[in-house]
Amino acid sequence: TNDILQHMKEIVQDGAPILRKVAKPVPKELFGTAKLTQIIADMIEALDKEPEGVALAAPQIGIPYRLFIVREDRTVIPEDQGSTLDPNSQGQTLKPEPKVEVYVNPEIIKTSRKRAIGEEGCLSTKGVYGVIKRHERVTISAHHSDGKKFTRGSGGLMAQIFEHEVGHLNGEL
């Protein structure tokens, strides 16, 4: 549909009806297409503008699909910040190359019994942080943009991200 192509690269804020709707699965015929590649590129662009953001769900830029991205490079804290000097860089610190993981039609297939309480923010509720209880470990099953299925288990921040983003896809904020 054309309305999906008319999306924005701006992150929609709380109050936008799309954030409260359950997102639709990405149709199989979209896998591997230029259209899906463009949606992902727009999501990366929107997330790139938010240095504190680690992940983004498609509904957050007005796209009603079950899809989210994670800026993997922002989930790790460099051992010694600022020492990634390239001998040719005239003393400027190099920014790590953005490493983006794409999760299409993700499903949480396993969670740990143990939960942890942590502080969490959201790019659709700017400046608002809440304390939330999340599973310590989460296993997710999803597809790459070409349609290949994969499974990934994670703990800590990544587990929190998986739950938070799947929440967005279920209309939770």
Side-chain angles (χ1 to χ4, degrees), residues 8 76 85 110 141-142 148 155 158:
M8 334 156 260
V76 288
L85 288 178
K110 209 168 126 201
S141 165
K148 266 210 284 291
M158 279 305 280

Side-chain angles (χ1 to χ4, degrees), residues 24 29 36 53 92-93 95 105 120 143 162:
K24 300 183 299 241
E29 58 272 15
L36 184 57
Q92 293 154 336
T93 305
K95 264 174 68 186
N105 296 340
E120 209 169 282
H143 294 83
F162 289 164

Side-chain angles (χ1 to χ4, degrees), residues 30-92:
L30 262 192
F31 285 120
T33 63
K35 187 172 161 187
L36 184 57
T37 302
Q38 187 57 56
I39 290 171
I40 293 165
D42 290 347
M43 290 172 69
I44 292 169
E45 192 179 317
L47 183 55
D48 206 47
K49 292 184 221 156
E50 305 291 338
E52 76 285 8
V54 289
L56 190 70
Q60 291 181 278
I61 62 161
I63 298 170
Y65 279 148
R66 299 189 75 78
L67 160 68
F68 72 84
I69 61 168
V70 178
R71 272 292 296 269
E72 185 76 37
D73 56 300
R74 291 181 178 171
T75 63
V76 288
I77 292 124
E79 308 248 322
D80 42 5
Q81 283 172 316
S83 73
T84 49
L85 288 178
D86 180 313
N88 321 328
S89 69
Q90 286 96 40
Q92 293 154 336

Side-chain angles (χ1 to χ4, degrees), residues 3 6 68 87 92 115 146:
D3 57 320
Q6 308 303 315
F68 72 84
Q92 293 154 336
R115 289 169 176 248
D146 63 5

Side-chain angles (χ1 to χ4, degrees), residues 9 20 25 27 100 119 133-134 138 140 146 153 160:
K9 292 173 200 160
R20 300 289 180 185
V100 179
E119 199 184 36
K133 206 173 197 180
R134 296 278 192 202
V138 172
I140 202 164
D146 63 5
Q160 197 178 337

